[in-house]
Amino acid sequence: MRIGELSRRTGVAPRLLRYYEEQDLLHPDRAGNGYRSYPESAVALVGQIRGLLDSGLTTGMIRALLPYLCGPGRLVPSPENVPPGTAALLQEHIDRIQARIDCLARNRDRLTAYLASVRPDGG
């Protein structure tokens, strides 16, 4: 399928699909006229890329992880075959997410306490 069709089917703008290609996340074939040609599997791949981006991963992290994925939540090789560097990237990202969660929880608790102290009815 051409880029316009992939865009329609995934809801991702062609410009963004070209960016994914520049980032080595998508690998379309090129027709003789230079047009990009995507396999049917690109629809699921773009969905997976979007999901990983939405989870906060960078394109570099996704590029390192994609060779080991065959679908959402599924690894192609066994987990012990994932290179230590890739596993370390993921652990660092998980640690950053947890730090943000902890910070947000502290802020929520402080704001809740403040709000309870300024509202006469306590809620």
Side-chain angles (χ1 to χ4, degrees), residues 51-114:
L52 293 168
L53 286 167
D54 288 346
S55 74
L57 294 177
T58 65
T59 56
M61 295 168 95
I62 295 169
R63 186 174 40 256
L65 188 60
L66 275 180
Y68 306 102
L69 301 178
C70 63
R74 293 182 49 217
L75 292 170
V76 175
S78 58
E80 57 272 2
N81 291 333
V82 174
T86 301
L89 273 175
L90 289 173
Q91 187 59 57
E92 289 169 13
H93 185 67
I94 290 166
D95 294 345
R96 282 192 302 275
I97 289 172
Q98 189 59 56
R100 281 188 277 167
I101 290 169
D102 295 346
C103 179
L104 288 169
R106 281 190 307 274
N107 289 342
R108 180 204 56 218
D109 294 347
R110 288 175 186 152
L111 288 171
T112 300
Y114 175 76

Side-chain angles (χ1 to χ4, degrees), residues 6-78:
L6 182 59
S7 174
R8 279 188 293 283
R9 292 185 57 190
T10 60
V12 175
R15 183 175 180 190
L16 198 49
L17 294 172
R18 286 189 290 275
Y19 174 74
Y20 295 164
E21 182 182 352
E22 289 170 12
Q23 295 299 306
D24 201 27
L25 302 177
L26 284 179
H27 305 100
D29 291 328
R30 291 285 184 149
N33 58 9
Y35 289 170
R36 290 167 175 84
S37 177
Y38 296 91
E40 182 65 30
S41 61
V43 175
L45 179 58
V46 169
Q48 191 167 33
I49 291 167
R50 295 299 308 156
L52 293 168
L53 286 167
D54 288 346
S55 74
L57 294 177
T58 65
T59 56
M61 295 168 95
I62 295 169
R63 186 174 40 256
L65 188 60
L66 275 180
Y68 306 102
L69 301 178
C70 63
R74 293 182 49 217
L75 292 170
V76 175
S78 58

